[in-house]
Amino acid sequence: MKQHNTSLTGVMRQAPAIERTYGDYTRQQNIKRELYLFLLQKREESLIAKSSTLSNSRVIAAARADYTPVSPKRDLILFGALILGLLAPFGIDKIIHLFNNKIRTRSDLEAKTGLPIIGEIGHKNESELVVVSQQSRSLVSNN
């Protein structure tokens, strides 16, 4: 019996070490379980995100293509260029006259004011110093 008591006492002394070892195993098992659950959750989240980014479109009819290449219509382009070449100068001239706010001729003044004109002041664009000469027939000389 004494031997039995000694063996039981030896086992009882080893019990805390064994219990500590089992406690370590339990902690490692809990850590691994939590890691496994975390990875499962992340996998589900990524699958949900992937499925939400997929489009819900489907092909109704397959695309068709000709075997001959498509080229520009030369005649149509030339016709358009001709029309544009003829209309562009008129459009530019119209825009210039639209923004013109100066009075250049007698008819401009009459059209804008409606007042009668009493007289005009002549202007000569040439570089001669003599305004009136014997043979002059300009508006300034008034022959």
Side-chain angles (χ1 to χ4, degrees):
M1 172 105 171
K2 196 173 182 181
Q3 262 184 341
H4 186 62
N5 272 345
T6 6
S7 68
L8 286 176
T9 307
V11 171
M12 285 178 59
R13 285 185 184 158
Q14 290 177 354
I18 295 171
E19 191 174 331
R20 200 175 318 125
T21 305
Y22 287 134
D24 290 341
Y25 290 149
T26 307
R27 275 193 295 279
Q28 287 178 0
Q29 185 180 13
N30 286 337
I31 290 172
K32 288 178 183 177
R33 183 183 308 128
E34 288 176 11
L35 179 63
Y36 180 71
L37 291 174
F38 175 74
L39 291 175
L40 276 179
Q41 182 183 1
K42 287 298 178 183
R43 179 177 162 210
E44 288 177 13
E45 287 176 5
S46 68
L47 288 176
I48 290 171
K50 183 180 177 184
S51 68
S52 67
T53 58
L54 293 177
S55 64
N56 294 333
S57 62
R58 58 189 167 116
V59 177
I60 295 173
R64 293 174 297 183
D66 286 337
Y67 292 106
T68 59
V70 177
S71 62
K73 296 180 174 123
R74 186 173 186 259
D75 295 337
L76 183 64
I77 292 173
L78 289 176
F79 179 72
L82 177 71
I83 296 297
L84 184 66
L86 291 175
L87 294 179
F90 293 114
I92 292 171
D93 186 48
K94 184 69 175 171
I95 289 172
I96 289 172
H97 285 301
L98 184 68
F99 289 113
N100 181 18
N101 60 359
K102 295 180 182 174
I103 297 174
R104 298 189 185 269
T105 63
R106 181 179 184 154
S107 60
D108 289 345
L109 184 61
E110 288 173 348
K112 291 185 182 187
T113 62
L115 299 173
I117 297 177
I118 298 172
E120 290 184 42
I121 300 174
H123 179 71
K124 186 175 180 183
N125 290 331
E126 296 174 7
S127 61
E128 289 181 27
L129 293 176
V130 178
V131 177
V132 181
S133 65
Q134 281 210 341
Q135 300 292 325
S136 177
R137 298 202 39 97
S138 68
L139 285 174
V140 176
S141 65
N142 201 10
N143 279 341

